[in-house]
Amino acid sequence: MAPETSTQIHNIGYRSYDGPRLGRAYARKSLFSQSLRGAYGLGRSAKSKVLPMILFAVMCVPALIIVAVAIAIPGSTDLPIKYTTYAVTTQVIVYLFLASQAPQSVSRDLRFKTVPLYFSRPIERVDYVVAKYAAMASALFILTATPLLIMWIGSLLAKFDFADQTKGFGQGLVSVLLLSLLFAGLGLVMAALTPRRGFGVAAVIALLLIPYGAVTAVQGVAVATENTGAIEWMGLFSPITLIDGLQTAFLGASSAFPEGYGPSAGVGIAYLLVVLGLIAGSYAALMARYRKAGL
Protein backbone atom coordinates (compact mmCIF):
# COMPACT_ATOMS: atom_id res chain seq x y z
CA MET A 1 0.00 0.00 0.00
CA ALA A 2 1.46 3.34 -1.05
CA PRO A 3 2.20 5.81 1.74
CA GLU A 4 -0.08 8.78 2.03
CA THR A 5 1.25 12.00 0.56
CA SER A 6 0.18 15.55 1.22
CA THR A 7 0.41 18.53 -1.08
CA GLN A 8 1.36 21.93 0.28
CA ILE A 9 1.36 25.34 -1.40
CA HIS A 10 3.98 27.78 -0.18
CA ASN A 11 3.69 31.54 -0.65
CA ILE A 12 7.24 32.71 -1.37
CA GLY A 13 6.31 36.34 -1.89
CA TYR A 14 5.94 36.73 -5.66
CA ARG A 15 3.33 39.24 -6.73
CA SER A 16 1.71 39.82 -10.09
CA TYR A 17 2.56 42.97 -12.06
CA ASP A 18 -0.36 45.36 -12.42
CA GLY A 19 1.51 48.31 -13.98
CA PRO A 20 1.39 49.54 -17.58
CA ARG A 21 2.53 47.28 -20.42
CA LEU A 22 4.77 49.37 -22.68
CA GLY A 23 4.66 46.92 -25.58
CA ARG A 24 6.69 46.35 -28.73
CA ALA A 25 7.31 49.99 -29.63
CA TYR A 26 9.04 50.68 -26.32
CA ALA A 27 11.04 47.46 -26.52
CA ARG A 28 12.13 48.29 -30.07
CA LYS A 29 13.15 51.82 -29.08
CA SER A 30 15.07 50.51 -26.07
CA LEU A 31 16.92 47.94 -28.18
CA PHE A 32 17.79 50.64 -30.73
CA SER A 33 19.07 53.00 -28.03
CA GLN A 34 21.08 50.29 -26.29
CA SER A 35 22.64 49.13 -29.57
CA LEU A 36 23.50 52.68 -30.68
CA ARG A 37 25.08 53.51 -27.33
CA GLY A 38 26.94 50.22 -27.40
CA ALA A 39 28.48 51.05 -30.79
CA TYR A 40 30.39 53.86 -29.06
CA GLY A 41 31.00 51.94 -25.84
CA LEU A 42 28.50 53.96 -23.82
CA GLY A 43 27.03 51.94 -20.98
CA ARG A 44 29.85 49.41 -21.35
CA SER A 45 33.27 49.03 -19.75
CA ALA A 46 35.98 51.66 -20.17
CA LYS A 47 37.93 49.24 -22.36
CA SER A 48 35.00 49.02 -24.77
CA LYS A 49 34.98 52.80 -25.25
CA VAL A 50 38.62 53.09 -26.33
CA LEU A 51 38.51 51.90 -29.95
CA PRO A 52 35.24 53.55 -31.11
CA MET A 53 36.15 56.86 -29.48
CA ILE A 54 39.65 56.82 -30.98
CA LEU A 55 38.20 56.09 -34.42
CA PHE A 56 35.64 58.89 -33.98
CA ALA A 57 38.41 61.33 -33.01
CA VAL A 58 40.63 60.22 -35.91
CA MET A 59 37.67 60.73 -38.25
CA CYS A 60 37.14 64.31 -37.03
CA VAL A 61 40.75 65.53 -36.78
CA PRO A 62 41.32 65.88 -40.56
CA ALA A 63 38.14 67.98 -40.79
CA LEU A 64 39.48 70.33 -38.14
CA ILE A 65 42.79 70.58 -40.01
CA ILE A 66 40.97 71.30 -43.29
CA VAL A 67 39.01 74.10 -41.64
CA ALA A 68 42.13 75.56 -40.03
CA VAL A 69 44.00 75.54 -43.34
CA ALA A 70 41.09 77.14 -45.18
CA ILE A 71 40.83 79.93 -42.62
CA ALA A 72 44.59 80.49 -42.49
CA ILE A 73 45.09 80.86 -46.26
CA PRO A 74 44.49 84.48 -47.26
CA GLY A 75 41.93 84.95 -50.02
CA SER A 76 40.59 81.41 -49.75
CA THR A 77 36.99 81.09 -50.95
CA ASP A 78 36.36 77.37 -50.54
CA LEU A 79 37.42 74.32 -48.57
CA PRO A 80 40.35 72.36 -50.05
CA ILE A 81 38.25 69.16 -50.16
CA LYS A 82 34.63 68.56 -51.14
CA TYR A 83 32.10 67.32 -48.61
CA THR A 84 31.34 64.31 -50.80
CA THR A 85 35.02 63.36 -50.95
CA TYR A 86 35.64 63.13 -47.21
CA ALA A 87 34.10 59.73 -46.45
CA VAL A 88 35.71 58.10 -49.49
CA THR A 89 39.10 59.52 -48.48
CA THR A 90 38.76 58.25 -44.90
CA GLN A 91 37.16 54.93 -45.84
CA VAL A 92 39.67 52.85 -43.85
CA ILE A 93 38.44 54.42 -40.61
CA VAL A 94 34.86 53.57 -41.57
CA TYR A 95 35.92 49.99 -42.32
CA LEU A 96 37.59 49.60 -38.92
CA PHE A 97 34.63 51.05 -37.07
CA LEU A 98 32.13 48.80 -38.83
CA ALA A 99 34.32 45.70 -38.49
CA SER A 100 34.74 46.27 -34.76
CA GLN A 101 31.18 47.25 -33.88
CA ALA A 102 28.93 45.14 -36.15
CA PRO A 103 30.03 41.87 -34.45
CA GLN A 104 29.64 43.56 -31.06
CA SER A 105 26.05 44.38 -31.97
CA VAL A 106 24.88 40.94 -33.09
CA SER A 107 27.52 38.26 -32.53
CA ARG A 108 27.29 38.35 -28.73
CA ASP A 109 23.54 37.71 -28.82
CA LEU A 110 24.19 34.66 -30.99
CA ARG A 111 27.14 33.43 -28.95
CA PHE A 112 25.34 33.64 -25.61
CA LYS A 113 22.03 32.45 -27.15
CA THR A 114 20.05 35.44 -25.92
CA VAL A 115 18.11 35.93 -29.18
CA PRO A 116 15.32 33.51 -28.12
CA LEU A 117 15.01 35.50 -24.90
CA TYR A 118 14.39 38.66 -26.90
CA PHE A 119 11.66 36.92 -28.88
CA SER A 120 10.03 35.53 -25.74
CA ARG A 121 9.11 39.11 -24.84
CA PRO A 122 6.65 41.37 -26.70
CA ILE A 123 9.17 41.83 -29.51
CA GLU A 124 9.20 40.09 -32.85
CA ARG A 125 11.88 39.23 -35.34
CA VAL A 126 11.20 42.33 -37.44
CA ASP A 127 11.58 44.55 -34.35
CA TYR A 128 14.97 43.06 -33.54
CA VAL A 129 16.28 43.38 -37.09
CA VAL A 130 14.96 46.93 -37.58
CA ALA A 131 16.40 48.10 -34.25
CA LYS A 132 19.84 46.59 -34.88
CA TYR A 133 19.96 47.82 -38.49
CA ALA A 134 18.83 51.33 -37.58
CA ALA A 135 21.30 51.52 -34.68
CA MET A 136 24.30 50.49 -36.77
CA ALA A 137 23.31 52.81 -39.63
CA SER A 138 22.88 55.67 -37.15
CA ALA A 139 26.27 54.97 -35.57
CA LEU A 140 27.92 55.07 -39.00
CA PHE A 141 26.01 58.23 -39.93
CA ILE A 142 27.22 59.97 -36.77
CA LEU A 143 30.77 58.87 -37.56
CA THR A 144 30.70 60.14 -41.16
CA ALA A 145 28.43 63.18 -40.83
CA THR A 146 30.13 64.82 -37.84
CA PRO A 147 33.28 65.77 -39.83
CA LEU A 148 31.06 67.26 -42.52
CA LEU A 149 29.29 69.33 -39.87
CA ILE A 150 32.67 70.54 -38.60
CA MET A 151 33.68 71.53 -42.14
CA TRP A 152 30.38 73.34 -42.74
CA ILE A 153 30.58 75.31 -39.49
CA GLY A 154 34.22 76.14 -40.26
CA SER A 155 33.29 77.36 -43.74
CA LEU A 156 30.71 79.71 -42.24
CA LEU A 157 33.24 81.02 -39.74
CA ALA A 158 35.58 81.65 -42.68
CA LYS A 159 32.71 83.57 -44.34
CA PHE A 160 32.62 81.43 -47.44
CA ASP A 161 29.52 81.57 -49.63
CA PHE A 162 26.63 80.29 -47.51
CA ALA A 163 24.48 78.89 -50.32
CA ASP A 164 27.39 77.09 -51.98
CA GLN A 165 28.62 75.55 -48.71
CA THR A 166 25.14 74.52 -47.61
CA LYS A 167 24.50 72.84 -50.95
CA GLY A 168 27.77 70.92 -50.71
CA PHE A 169 27.02 70.01 -47.09
CA GLY A 170 23.58 68.69 -48.06
CA GLN A 171 25.06 66.61 -50.88
CA GLY A 172 27.62 65.20 -48.46
CA LEU A 173 24.90 64.25 -45.98
CA VAL A 174 22.94 62.38 -48.66
CA SER A 175 26.11 60.55 -49.65
CA VAL A 176 27.04 59.43 -46.12
CA LEU A 177 23.41 58.48 -45.39
CA LEU A 178 23.45 56.04 -48.31
CA LEU A 179 26.90 54.84 -47.26
CA SER A 180 25.69 54.25 -43.70
CA LEU A 181 22.64 52.26 -44.81
CA LEU A 182 24.64 50.17 -47.27
CA PHE A 183 27.60 49.45 -45.00
CA ALA A 184 25.44 48.79 -41.93
CA GLY A 185 23.41 46.18 -43.80
CA LEU A 186 26.42 44.42 -45.28
CA GLY A 187 28.36 44.52 -42.02
CA LEU A 188 25.51 43.12 -39.93
CA VAL A 189 24.83 40.32 -42.41
CA MET A 190 28.45 39.20 -42.29
CA ALA A 191 28.64 39.53 -38.49
CA ALA A 192 25.38 37.59 -38.02
CA LEU A 193 26.73 34.59 -39.92
CA THR A 194 28.87 33.53 -36.96
CA PRO A 195 28.70 33.84 -33.17
CA ARG A 196 32.50 34.19 -33.08
CA ARG A 197 33.36 37.88 -32.92
CA GLY A 198 36.83 37.41 -34.40
CA PHE A 199 35.43 35.65 -37.45
CA GLY A 200 32.84 38.40 -37.80
CA VAL A 201 35.52 41.10 -37.79
CA ALA A 202 37.53 39.25 -40.45
CA ALA A 203 34.43 38.65 -42.59
CA VAL A 204 33.42 42.34 -42.56
CA ILE A 205 36.93 43.54 -43.45
CA ALA A 206 37.20 40.95 -46.23
CA LEU A 207 33.85 41.98 -47.70
CA LEU A 208 34.90 45.63 -47.84
CA LEU A 209 38.57 45.40 -48.78
CA ILE A 210 38.81 42.46 -51.20
CA PRO A 211 36.21 43.71 -53.72
CA TYR A 212 37.66 47.23 -53.53
CA GLY A 213 41.17 45.96 -54.25
CA ALA A 214 39.95 43.81 -57.13
CA VAL A 215 37.88 46.62 -58.66
CA THR A 216 40.73 49.11 -58.37
CA ALA A 217 43.15 46.67 -60.00
CA VAL A 218 40.81 45.93 -62.91
CA GLN A 219 40.11 49.65 -63.39
CA GLY A 220 43.86 50.26 -63.51
CA VAL A 221 44.21 47.62 -66.19
CA ALA A 222 41.35 49.23 -68.13
CA VAL A 223 43.15 52.58 -68.06
CA ALA A 224 46.42 50.99 -69.18
CA THR A 225 44.69 49.24 -72.08
CA GLU A 226 42.67 52.37 -72.94
CA ASN A 227 39.42 50.50 -72.33
CA THR A 228 38.06 53.40 -70.33
CA GLY A 229 34.42 52.52 -71.00
CA ALA A 230 34.68 49.57 -68.60
CA ILE A 231 35.85 51.69 -65.66
CA GLU A 232 32.45 53.07 -64.75
CA TRP A 233 30.83 49.61 -64.88
CA MET A 234 33.48 47.98 -62.71
CA GLY A 235 32.54 50.31 -59.87
CA LEU A 236 29.34 48.31 -59.41
CA PHE A 237 31.26 45.46 -57.73
CA SER A 238 32.56 47.13 -54.57
CA PRO A 239 30.64 48.84 -51.73
CA ILE A 240 32.78 51.98 -51.54
CA THR A 241 33.03 52.39 -55.33
CA LEU A 242 29.25 52.09 -55.49
CA ILE A 243 28.96 55.13 -53.21
CA ASP A 244 31.71 56.94 -55.12
CA GLY A 245 29.99 56.34 -58.45
CA LEU A 246 26.55 57.25 -57.11
CA GLN A 247 27.66 60.59 -55.72
CA THR A 248 29.66 61.31 -58.88
CA ALA A 249 26.59 60.75 -61.04
CA PHE A 250 24.03 62.62 -58.94
CA LEU A 251 25.69 64.69 -56.20
CA GLY A 252 28.32 66.66 -58.07
CA ALA A 253 31.25 64.78 -56.54
CA SER A 254 34.69 64.35 -58.09
CA SER A 255 35.24 60.69 -58.85
CA ALA A 256 38.07 58.78 -57.18
CA PHE A 257 38.13 56.31 -60.08
CA PRO A 258 41.38 56.13 -62.12
CA GLU A 259 41.80 59.24 -64.26
CA GLY A 260 38.48 60.49 -62.85
CA TYR A 261 36.37 58.30 -65.15
CA GLY A 262 33.25 58.36 -62.99
CA PRO A 263 29.85 57.13 -64.20
CA SER A 264 27.46 59.32 -66.16
CA ALA A 265 23.93 60.00 -64.95
CA GLY A 266 22.64 57.17 -67.14
CA VAL A 267 25.02 54.61 -65.65
CA GLY A 268 24.37 56.21 -62.26
CA ILE A 269 20.85 54.76 -62.40
CA ALA A 270 22.41 51.30 -62.30
CA TYR A 271 24.49 52.36 -59.27
CA LEU A 272 21.38 53.58 -57.48
CA LEU A 273 19.47 50.38 -58.22
CA VAL A 274 22.36 48.20 -57.01
CA VAL A 275 22.74 50.23 -53.79
CA LEU A 276 19.01 50.07 -53.03
CA GLY A 277 18.96 46.37 -53.94
CA LEU A 278 21.84 45.62 -51.56
CA ILE A 279 20.18 47.56 -48.74
CA ALA A 280 16.91 45.68 -49.25
CA GLY A 281 18.76 42.39 -49.71
CA SER A 282 20.72 42.92 -46.48
CA TYR A 283 17.49 43.49 -44.58
CA ALA A 284 15.94 40.36 -46.12
CA ALA A 285 19.06 38.31 -45.31
CA LEU A 286 18.96 39.44 -41.67
CA MET A 287 15.28 38.55 -41.44
CA ALA A 288 16.03 35.10 -42.83
CA ARG A 289 19.00 34.66 -40.48
CA TYR A 290 16.95 35.47 -37.39
CA ARG A 291 14.09 33.25 -38.45
CA LYS A 292 16.45 30.38 -37.64
CA ALA A 293 18.38 32.02 -34.79
CA GLY A 294 15.21 32.86 -32.91
CA LEU A 295 14.21 29.24 -32.42
Side-chain angles (χ1 to χ4, degrees):
M1 181 175 179
E4 294 184 2
T5 59
S6 61
T7 300
Q8 296 181 348
I9 299 176
H10 298 275
N11 183 359
I12 58 177
Y14 290 116
R15 293 186 298 177
S16 61
Y17 176 72
D18 298 322
R21 304 288 179 176
L22 299 178
R24 286 175 57 191
Y26 182 82
R28 185 169 56 243
K29 183 177 71 172
S30 298
L31 183 57
F32 166 79
S33 175
Q34 180 265 337
S35 300
L36 177 57
R37 286 165 51 83
Y40 286 93
L42 303 178
R44 300 168 60 201
S45 65
K47 181 181 178 181
S48 300
K49 297 179 177 65
V50 174
L51 181 59
M53 290 303 179
I54 287 177
L55 292 174
F56 181 79
V58 172
M59 192 74 175
C60 292
V61 166
L64 293 171
I65 295 174
I66 288 170
V67 168
V69 170
I71 294 176
I73 297 177
S76 178
T77 59
D78 200 359
L79 296 171
I81 185 174
K82 287 187 175 183
Y83 294 94
T84 49
T85 305
Y86 195 90
V88 176
T89 304
T90 56
Q91 60 183 278
V92 173
I93 303 172
V94 180
Y95 293 170
L96 292 175
F97 183 89
L98 180 63
S100 62
Q101 299 311 312
Q104 181 276 138
S105 181
V106 296
S107 294
R108 291 192 307 168
D109 290 344
L110 295 170
R111 183 166 70 253
F112 297 116
K113 302 185 185 302
T114 57
V115 174
L117 297 180
Y118 281 114
F119 296 163
S120 68
R121 299 296 179 181
I123 185 173
E124 297 184 4
R125 178 165 47 99
V126 64
D127 300 314
Y128 183 89
V129 171
V130 167
K132 289 292 185 178
Y133 199 146
M136 183 52 59
S138 298
L140 285 173
F141 184 74
I142 291 171
L143 179 74
T144 53
T146 301
L148 305 187
L149 179 61
I150 293 172
M151 291 168 60
W152 181 69
I153 293 174
S155 70
L156 298 185
L157 293 176
K159 298 182 179 179
F160 295 159
D161 183 76
F162 175 80
D164 184 56
Q165 295 301 319
T166 302
K167 177 183 177 182
F169 178 54
Q171 291 172 333
L173 289 181
V174 173
S175 174
V176 297
L177 175 61
L178 290 171
L179 181 148
S180 300
L181 290 170
L182 176 61
F183 279 35
L186 296 175
L188 289 176
V189 168
M190 299 306 294
L193 292 177
T194 173
R196 302 289 294 274
R197 183 176 181 179
F199 290 162
V201 171
V204 173
I205 291 179
L207 177 66
L208 297 174
L209 282 181
I210 293 176
Y212 174 69
V215 167
T216 302
V218 174
Q219 286 178 330
V221 172
V223 171
T225 58
E226 298 184 356
N227 186 18
T228 56
I231 294 177
E232 58 184 0
W233 292 105
M234 290 306 303
L236 293 169
F237 299 97
S238 163
I240 192 63
T241 55
L242 273 170
I243 298 299
D244 183 282
L246 189 62
Q247 65 183 15
T248 300
F250 299 115
L251 299 175
S254 299
S255 178
F257 290 0
E259 305 294 332
Y261 287 109
S264 62
V267 178
I269 300 277
Y271 276 73
L272 178 60
L273 293 175
V274 171
V275 168
L276 295 179
L278 286 174
I279 292 172
S282 297
Y283 173 78
L286 287 170
M287 289 291 289
R289 175 70 177 97
Y290 284 100
R291 181 182 294 111
K292 179 179 180 180
L295 296 177

